[in-house]
Amino acid sequence: MEQEIITPKATPAPASHSMGFLNSFLSAAGVVLLSVTKLGAAFAAIIWAFSKLLGLPDMVMYVLMALGLIPVIWSTIWVAGRAWHVEQLLETGRDVDRPVFQAFYYWKKR
């Protein structure tokens, strides 16, 4: 069974579905807050369980949690830039592009 991809005859004008600066910011901020809390909680739970399983001292667990902040901060910076970039693409009526996994790629001035 073959499926047909339905595409519009013409791209809708950006003004017809424009959200505005505030709504774009709130949407991007929501994605950032969701990702940082989920990733932070996941890293903390994994590190805590790993430390308890191996019987590591609490000080080692705290150091591991501090080191676990590095990927959480990196991903938060990336998600914030990517979310804002995607919101701006949708605002102007363009399609979403492929992600580039570099921390400050979306923060560069273009």
Side-chain angles (χ1 to χ4, degrees):
M1 184 177 353
E2 197 170 317
Q3 295 180 349
E4 180 183 351
I5 298 175
I6 300 172
T7 57
K9 294 185 188 335
T11 304
S16 68
H17 58 275
S18 178
M19 289 182 17
F21 178 79
L22 179 63
N23 290 336
S24 292
F25 174 77
L26 290 176
S27 177
V31 169
V32 171
L33 290 174
L34 180 68
S35 68
V36 74
T37 55
K38 296 282 186 180
L39 285 171
F43 266 92
I46 290 169
I47 292 169
W48 178 83
F50 179 74
S51 298
K52 295 301 177 185
L53 183 67
L54 296 180
L56 298 175
D58 284 346
M59 188 54 80
V60 174
M61 180 181 67
Y62 296 140
V63 169
L64 289 174
M65 283 196 182
L67 290 174
L69 280 176
I70 295 170
V72 171
I73 291 171
W74 180 91
S75 62
T76 301
I77 290 169
W78 184 84
V79 166
R82 176 70 183 166
W84 184 253
H85 174 72
V86 167
E87 288 298 325
Q88 295 307 302
L89 287 176
L90 295 176
E91 179 93 16
T92 57
R94 293 181 287 171
D95 198 11
V96 179
D97 57 356
R98 296 181 73 100
V100 177
F101 296 103
Q102 297 175 1
F104 292 101
Y105 179 80
Y106 296 108
W107 294 96
K108 296 174 187 171
K109 297 285 182 187
R110 293 179 201 211

